[in-house]
Coordinates of all heavy atoms in Angstrom, one line a residue:
Chain B
S1514 N -8.9 12.0 24.2 CA -8.6 11.1 25.3 C -7.9 9.9 24.7 O -8.4 9.2 23.9 CB -9.8 10.7 26.1 OG -9.5 9.8 27.1
L1515 N -6.7 9.6 25.2 CA -5.9 8.5 24.8 C -5.8 7.5 26.0 O -5.2 7.8 27.0 CB -4.5 8.9 24.4 CG -4.3 9.9 23.3 CD1 -2.9 10.4 23.2 CD2 -4.9 9.4 22.0
P1516 N -6.4 6.4 25.9 CA -6.5 5.4 27.1 C -5.2 4.7 27.2 O -4.6 4.2 26.2 CB -7.6 4.5 26.7 CG -7.7 4.5 25.2 CD -7.2 5.9 24.8
R1517 N -4.6 4.5 28.4 CA -3.5 3.7 28.6 C -2.4 3.9 27.6 O -2.0 3.0 26.8 CB -3.9 2.2 28.7 CG -4.9 1.9 29.7 CD -5.3 0.4 29.7 NE -5.9 0.0 28.5 CZ -7.2 0.3 28.1 NH1 -8.0 0.9 29.0 NH2 -7.7 -0.1 27.0
V1518 N -1.7 5.1 27.7 CA -0.7 5.4 26.7 C 0.5 4.5 26.9 O 0.8 4.0 28.0 CB -0.3 6.9 26.8 CG1 -1.5 7.8 26.4 CG2 0.2 7.3 28.2
S1519 N 1.3 4.4 25.8 CA 2.5 3.7 25.9 C 3.6 4.6 25.3 O 3.4 5.7 24.9 CB 2.5 2.4 25.0 OG 2.3 2.8 23.6
L1520 N 4.9 4.1 25.4 CA 6.0 5.0 25.0 C 5.8 5.4 23.5 O 6.2 6.5 23.1 CB 7.3 4.2 25.2 CG 7.7 3.9 26.6 CD1 9.0 3.0 26.6 CD2 7.9 5.1 27.4
S1521 N 5.2 4.5 22.7 CA 5.1 4.8 21.3 C 4.0 5.9 21.0 O 3.8 6.3 19.9 CB 4.7 3.5 20.6 OG 3.4 3.0 21.1
D1522 N 3.3 6.4 22.0 CA 2.4 7.5 21.9 C 3.0 8.8 22.0 O 2.4 9.9 21.8 CB 1.2 7.3 22.9 CG 0.3 6.2 22.6 OD1 0.0 5.9 21.4 OD2 0.0 5.5 23.6
T1523 N 4.3 8.8 22.3 CA 5.1 10.1 22.3 C 5.1 10.7 20.9 O 5.6 10.1 20.0 CB 6.5 9.8 22.8 OG1 6.5 9.4 24.2 CG2 7.4 11.1 22.7
A1524 N 4.5 11.9 20.8 CA 4.3 12.5 19.5 C 3.7 13.9 19.7 O 3.5 14.3 20.8 CB 3.3 11.6 18.7
V1525 N 3.5 14.6 18.6 CA 2.8 15.9 18.6 C 1.4 15.6 18.2 O 1.2 14.9 17.2 CB 3.5 16.9 17.7 CG1 2.7 18.2 17.8 CG2 5.0 17.1 18.2
Y1526 N 0.4 16.2 18.9 CA -1.0 16.0 18.6 C -1.6 17.4 18.2 O -1.4 18.4 18.9 CB -1.7 15.5 19.8 CG -1.3 14.1 20.1 CD1 -0.1 13.8 20.8 CD2 -2.0 13.0 19.6 CE1 0.3 12.5 21.0 CE2 -1.6 11.7 19.8 CZ -0.4 11.4 20.5 OH 0.0 10.1 20.8
Y1527 N -2.2 17.4 17.1 CA -2.8 18.6 16.5 C -4.3 18.6 16.5 O -4.9 17.6 16.1 CB -2.4 18.8 15.1 CG -0.9 19.0 14.9 CD1 -0.1 18.0 14.5 CD2 -0.3 20.3 15.0 CE1 1.3 18.2 14.3 CE2 1.0 20.5 14.8 CZ 1.8 19.5 14.4 OH 3.2 19.7 14.2
C1528 N -4.9 19.7 17.0 CA -6.3 19.9 16.9 C -6.6 20.8 15.8 O -6.0 21.9 15.7 CB -6.8 20.5 18.3 SG -8.4 21.2 18.3
L1529 N -7.6 20.4 14.9 CA -7.9 21.3 13.8 C -9.3 21.6 13.7 O -10.2 20.7 13.9 CB -7.5 20.5 12.5 CG -6.1 20.4 12.0 CD1 -5.3 19.6 12.9 CD2 -6.1 19.8 10.6
V1530 N -9.6 22.8 13.3 CA -11.0 23.2 12.9 C -10.8 24.0 11.7 O -9.7 24.3 11.2 CB -11.7 24.0 14.0 CG1 -11.9 23.2 15.3 CG2 -11.0 25.3 14.3
G1531 N -11.9 24.4 11.1 CA -11.9 25.2 9.9 C -11.5 26.6 10.1 O -11.6 27.1 11.3
D1532 N -11.0 27.3 9.1 CA -10.7 28.7 9.2 C -11.2 29.4 7.9 O -10.9 28.9 6.8 CB -9.1 28.9 9.3 CG -8.7 30.3 9.4 OD1 -8.8 30.8 10.6 OD2 -8.5 30.9 8.4
R1533 N -11.9 30.4 8.1 CA -12.5 31.1 7.0 C -11.8 32.5 6.9 O -12.1 33.4 7.6 CB -14.0 31.3 7.1 CG -14.7 30.0 6.9 CD -16.2 30.1 7.3 NE -16.9 28.9 7.0 CZ -16.8 27.8 7.7 NH1 -16.0 27.8 8.8 NH2 -17.4 26.7 7.4
G1534 N -10.8 32.6 6.0 CA -10.1 33.9 5.7 C -10.5 34.4 4.4 O -11.4 33.9 3.7
A1535 N -9.7 35.4 3.9 CA -10.0 36.0 2.6 C -9.9 35.0 1.5 O -10.5 35.1 0.5 CB -9.0 37.1 2.4
G1536 N -9.0 34.0 1.7 CA -8.9 33.0 0.6 C -9.8 31.9 0.7 O -9.7 30.9 -0.1
G1537 N -10.8 32.0 1.6 CA -11.8 30.9 1.7 C -11.5 30.0 2.8 O -10.7 30.2 3.7
F1538 N -12.3 28.9 2.9 CA -12.2 27.9 4.0 C -10.9 27.1 3.9 O -10.5 26.7 2.8 CB -13.4 27.0 4.0 CG -13.4 26.0 5.1 CD1 -14.0 26.3 6.2 CD2 -12.7 24.8 5.0 CE1 -14.0 25.3 7.3 CE2 -12.7 23.9 6.0 CZ -13.4 24.1 7.2
K1539 N -10.2 26.9 5.0 CA -9.0 26.1 5.0 C -9.1 25.3 6.3 O -9.6 25.7 7.3 CB -7.7 26.9 5.0 CG -7.6 27.8 3.8 CD -7.4 27.1 2.5 CE -7.1 28.0 1.4 NZ -8.1 29.0 1.1
T1540 N -8.5 24.1 6.3 CA -8.2 23.4 7.6 C -6.8 23.8 8.0 O -5.9 23.5 7.4 CB -8.3 21.9 7.3 OG1 -9.6 21.6 6.8 CG2 -8.1 21.1 8.6
I1541 N -6.8 24.3 9.2 CA -5.5 24.9 9.7 C -4.9 24.1 10.8 O -5.6 23.8 11.8 CB -5.7 26.4 10.2 CG1 -6.4 27.2 9.1 CG2 -4.5 27.0 10.7 CD1 -5.5 27.4 7.9
F1542 N -3.6 23.8 10.7 CA -2.9 23.2 11.7 C -2.3 24.2 12.7 O -1.7 25.2 12.2 CB -1.7 22.4 11.2 CG -2.1 21.0 10.6 CD1 -2.7 21.0 9.3 CD2 -1.9 19.9 11.3 CE1 -3.0 19.8 8.7 CE2 -2.3 18.7 10.7 CZ -2.8 18.6 9.4
G1543 N -2.5 24.1 14.0 CA -1.8 25.0 14.9 C -0.4 24.4 15.3 O 0.1 23.6 14.6
A1544 N 0.1 24.8 16.4 CA 1.4 24.4 16.8 C 1.4 23.0 17.5 O 2.5 22.4 17.6 CB 2.1 25.4 17.8

Side-chain angles (χ1 to χ4, degrees):
Chain B
S1514 180
L1515 304 172
R1517 298 180 299 280
V1518 295
S1519 63
L1520 296 176
S1521 62
D1522 292 317
T1523 294
V1525 178
Y1526 293 82
Y1527 295 98
C1528 162
L1529 281 69
V1530 298
D1532 181 86
R1533 287 173 177 75
F1538 180 95
K1539 304 291 187 297
T1540 300
I1541 303 297
F1542 283 80

